Amino acid sequence: MSFNPAHLTGKKTDLEWFLNFYTNSFGGDISVNNLHSFTGHVSHEGINDNVDFSGVKLQDITVNGYYVFNKRKFSYPAAFTQSYIQKRSQGSFLLGASFSTGNIKMPANLVNTDKGYDIRRINMTHATLGAGYAYNYVPGKRWLLHLSALPSFVVWKNYDLYSAYRQEKIPWRFLDFSVTARFSAIYSTGFYFFGVTSVYQASYVKADEKISLTKENYKARIFAGIRF
């Protein structure tokens, strides 16, 4: 069980749901977001307009999966769920796939046809395939450090832009990509363990010289636990 400190202070009311599943052979994570706590600006011809972004809404679901080749010597659960103990440094090549679907809705105050930005909604769905590498470093009996990166190319997508008068479909490009990176640092002593884990997800899709979409999502978790 975990909680977001920003929710307790009332600074954020966004819905963010995150589920991880790790085994030595395969695993992944599911991220569900309903976000509306946005700030930012709109740029037109090199001039930034300060506008209210509180009405922007992002809803999306992202599913990532991985397969480990060196499953006998390398353990993802040792770095993220502490259900295994890695005693020696070891790495592994990975295969990965992901699927993401969602939309962004713009409020009326962000629509200005005179300045050329009148996008009302963007529907986003894509699937990726890729390969990467993960490594568990054990510098001593009590420490475990993990770092992995899984870049992927978009193999299928369906992106639609809706404005006041038209619907435009963003064509598929070979250079559209995404990446999932993970980090963890674990300290164990006897039955007790402490640590931090982080998962970073990003995708980049470009339509032409005028329109590109970059979506980033990263979460960090600080924890302490006891092995029974």
Side-chain angles (χ1 to χ4, degrees), residues 33-104:
N33 297 297
N34 186 355
L35 311 177
H36 50 79
S37 300
F38 290 98
T39 59
H41 64 268
V42 175
S43 178
H44 176 69
E45 295 181 350
I47 300 176
N48 292 338
D49 290 341
N50 294 319
V51 294
D52 182 11
F53 271 74
S54 61
V56 176
K57 293 183 179 180
L58 168 63
Q59 297 174 316
D60 70 350
I61 300 174
T62 301
V63 181
N64 293 296
Y66 68 82
Y67 176 79
V68 176
F69 287 96
N70 190 16
K71 59 185 177 182
R72 295 184 180 276
K73 297 181 179 180
F74 169 83
S75 175
Y76 249 126
F80 285 90
T81 63
Q82 290 71 59
S83 55
Y84 283 77
I85 297 177
Q86 180 108 27
K87 294 185 177 181
R88 296 181 181 178
S89 301
Q90 195 65 239
S92 177
F93 287 100
L94 311 170
L95 287 179
S98 70
F99 176 82
S100 179
T101 184
N103 63 74
I104 301 174

Side-chain angles (χ1 to χ4, degrees), residues 8-19:
L8 297 180
T9 59
K11 293 183 178 180
K12 292 185 66 175
T13 58
D14 299 327
L15 170 64
E16 297 177 277
W17 185 78
F18 205 54
L19 174 66

Side-chain angles (χ1 to χ4, degrees), residues 77-202:
F80 285 90
T81 63
Q82 290 71 59
S83 55
Y84 283 77
I85 297 177
Q86 180 108 27
K87 294 185 177 181
R88 296 181 181 178
S89 301
Q90 195 65 239
S92 177
F93 287 100
L94 311 170
L95 287 179
S98 70
F99 176 82
S100 179
T101 184
N103 63 74
I104 301 174
K105 296 180 180 179
M106 308 293 184
N109 64 292
L110 290 183
V111 177
N112 191 324
T113 55
D114 294 335
K115 293 187 176 182
Y117 45 91
D118 65 338
I119 296 176
R120 310 298 177 94
R121 188 173 84 251
I122 304 174
N123 290 350
M124 309 170 293
T125 302
H126 68 252
T128 71
L129 291 174
Y133 191 79
Y135 192 78
N136 282 347
Y137 175 55
V138 183
K141 294 183 178 180
R142 296 184 177 182
W143 281 99
L144 170 63
L145 303 176
H146 170 90
L147 185 64
S148 63
L150 187 54
S152 304
F153 285 103
V154 175
V155 295
W156 175 84
K157 76 176 181 183
N158 184 20
Y159 274 53
D160 294 312
L161 278 66
Y162 294 86
S163 63
Y165 305 105
R166 73 183 191 279
Q167 173 186 349
E168 181 180 352
K169 185 175 292 294
I170 297 180
W172 178 82
R173 297 188 328 132
F174 176 73
L175 294 179
D176 295 335
F177 68 92
S178 70
V179 62
T180 301
R182 294 180 171 90
F183 166 82
S184 72
I186 312 297
Y187 178 82
S188 300
T189 173
F191 294 103
Y192 305 96
F193 57 87
F194 313 87
V196 56
T197 63
S198 179
V199 178
Y200 170 81
Q201 301 167 345

